[in-house]
Amino acid sequence: MIPLIPTGPPPEVHPKYIIRPHPIGAPKEFVELENGSKHALDRNVWLRIFGFLTQSDLCLCMRVCRTWNRWAMDHRFWLKLDLSQQKLSQFALVGIVRRQPNFLDLSWTNITFKQLLWLLNRLPRVQELCIQGATQATLSALGQVSCPRIKVLDVRWSVGVVDSLLNEIISPPSPTEGRANETKSRLSLLSEIRLAGCDVTGQTIRTLVRYCDYLSKVDFSYCPGVVDEDVDFITSFNSPLSRKLTQVDFTGCPKLSDIILHFLKRCNGLRRVDLRGCKQISAEAVKDFAESYHESSEIVEGKLVLIKRS
């Protein structure tokens, strides 16, 4: 009898030991010349020179030699990385991770869910993240990772940003993620959120009040779902944010009326109140608010109130 020969793929063989790459050593202190000698300028001097260059110039310097490549990758030169309106490739994502920026702008790019998920898991230093003009599918990656250092989140004019998505992003991880005892928000240090043009309502405001204790700047401009009761809730005496809010932007919110100006008086630290484009809020009510709120209040462009504090 002829034995049967399996036609399927061979079983997957897992390695017995984890193989990790050799750790990268410290950067060299001098550039070695062709004759074997060292250049007269050491690394610290070159780093000062590199500090006067733009990021585009630094990328050119990185092509000179391996030593310059290491030096030009110094974290201090890449604290802010703006890739807005760029077409991102695999090499661009790897380059972002190598630079470890504190501020990252991916607005109006072609980044996908998998790319953003891969990226955020490798960027522990990011404190300000801008992803304007993204889609709901892409932004849902924020609900799959922990971003402990993010202080500013900007998702203005993104498609499909609704209450359920923001609840998933802001709320603590669920027990199904293996973190049953976690009670802190994924964005526990969030101090500013920008939601202009998003389809959010008071439910998002209640989620922010519940989980974001450090929130001081909110942008709900052009959010048609925000009503007077939502402003009442976020500025109520029971809300921890009423004592921390410094900037509120309700530009173009059609359902807000003059009554919210009485609610905003509960906040003692306001520095900027933007109510431009709110048709149901009168200029007279804004003037009365500015005169009674603080002696240094100034009205700019009709319904923009600026408060100068010492």
Side-chain angles (χ1 to χ4, degrees), residues 226-233 255-260 263:
V226 177
V227 297
D228 293 342
E229 290 75 11
D230 302 328
V231 183
D232 182 20
F233 183 85
K255 298 180 181 179
L256 298 182
S257 64
D258 291 345
I259 194 174
I260 71 165
F263 301 151

Side-chain angles (χ1 to χ4, degrees), residues 24 35 39 75 150 256 288:
I24 300 176
N35 58 5
H39 195 277
H75 172 65
I150 289 184
L256 298 182
D288 293 340

Side-chain angles (χ1 to χ4, degrees), residues 172-184 186:
S174 61
T176 57
E177 299 180 40
R179 301 166 65 179
N181 298 326
E182 184 66 58
T183 58
K184 286 188 177 182
R186 300 177 189 273

Side-chain angles (χ1 to χ4, degrees), residues 25-296:
K28 296 181 179 180
E29 292 298 323
F30 293 90
V31 173
E32 296 182 1
L33 304 178
E34 294 182 356
N35 58 5
S37 61
K38 298 179 180 179
H39 195 277
L41 303 181
D42 63 6
R43 181 170 66 95
N44 291 330
V45 176
W46 279 115
L47 289 180
R48 291 187 179 183
I49 297 174
F50 288 166
F52 293 98
L53 304 181
T54 64
Q55 292 183 347
S56 298
D57 294 334
L58 286 173
C59 291
L60 295 176
C61 293
M62 293 171 65
R63 301 179 182 179
V64 173
C65 63
R66 292 183 178 179
T67 303
W68 274 29
N69 186 287
R70 290 286 306 278
W71 290 351
M73 197 61 70
D74 190 285
H75 172 65
R76 292 169 290 183
F77 303 143
W78 306 98
L79 295 176
K80 184 175 181 179
L81 199 56
D82 186 352
L83 297 174
S84 58
Q85 303 183 26
Q86 302 292 326
K87 186 176 182 180
L88 302 180
S89 63
Q90 178 181 356
F91 298 103
L93 299 179
V94 174
I96 294 173
V97 174
R98 286 190 65 191
R99 287 160 176 79
Q100 290 294 312
N102 290 0
F103 168 88
L104 179 61
D105 192 345
L106 301 173
S107 301
W108 309 102
T109 62
N110 61 326
I111 191 166
T112 64
F113 167 84
K114 290 184 177 180
Q115 291 174 334
L116 184 60
L117 184 63
W118 182 89
L119 202 58
L120 292 179
N121 279 321
R122 291 162 175 81
L123 295 177
R125 293 182 178 177
V126 168
Q127 297 181 9
E128 184 169 349
L129 181 63
C130 299
I131 322 179
Q132 298 182 42
T135 63
Q136 180 182 15
T138 298
L139 293 176
S140 60
L142 292 169
Q144 306 293 325
V145 297
S146 179
C147 308
R149 292 194 178 186
I150 289 184
K151 296 181 179 179
V152 179
L153 179 62
D154 186 351
V155 294
R156 290 175 289 178
W157 307 108
S158 296
V159 180
V161 179
V162 294
D163 296 328
S164 58
L165 175 63
L166 287 169
N167 182 70
E168 179 183 356
I169 293 173
I170 299 171
S171 300
S174 61
T176 57
E177 299 180 40
R179 301 166 65 179
N181 298 326
E182 184 66 58
T183 58
K184 286 188 177 182
S185 165
R186 300 177 189 273
L187 303 173
S188 57
L189 297 180
L190 192 67
S191 63
E192 180 177 358
I193 189 167
R194 304 169 189 165
L195 299 170
C198 298
D199 296 326
V200 296
T201 65
Q203 182 179 344
T204 292
I205 291 180
R206 283 158 177 76
T207 303
L208 291 171
V209 171
R210 181 178 181 182
Y211 294 113
C212 301
D213 296 335
Y214 298 97
L215 199 62
S216 62
K217 300 177 183 179
V218 293
D219 180 2
F220 289 101
S221 56
Y222 301 102
C223 294
V226 177
V227 297
D228 293 342
E229 290 75 11
D230 302 328
V231 183
D232 182 20
F233 183 85
I234 198 174
T235 60
S236 65
F237 295 107
N238 295 328
S239 169
L241 303 187
S242 63
R243 299 178 295 274
K244 298 178 181 179
L245 285 177
T246 59
Q247 293 186 20
V248 291
D249 191 345
F250 295 112
T251 302
C253 293
K255 298 180 181 179
L256 298 182
S257 64
D258 291 345
I259 194 174
I260 71 165
L261 294 170
H262 298 284
F263 301 151
L264 292 175
K265 288 182 180 179
R266 304 168 182 166
C267 304
N268 298 323
L270 289 176
R271 294 178 178 270
R272 179 188 174 96
V273 179
D274 198 343
L275 302 172
R276 291 173 292 181
C278 298
K279 296 182 179 180
Q280 296 191 48
I281 298 179
S282 64
E284 292 76 12
V286 175
K287 182 179 179 180
D288 293 340
F289 166 79
E291 293 177 350
S292 60
Y293 181 74
H294 197 276
E295 58 183 6
S296 62

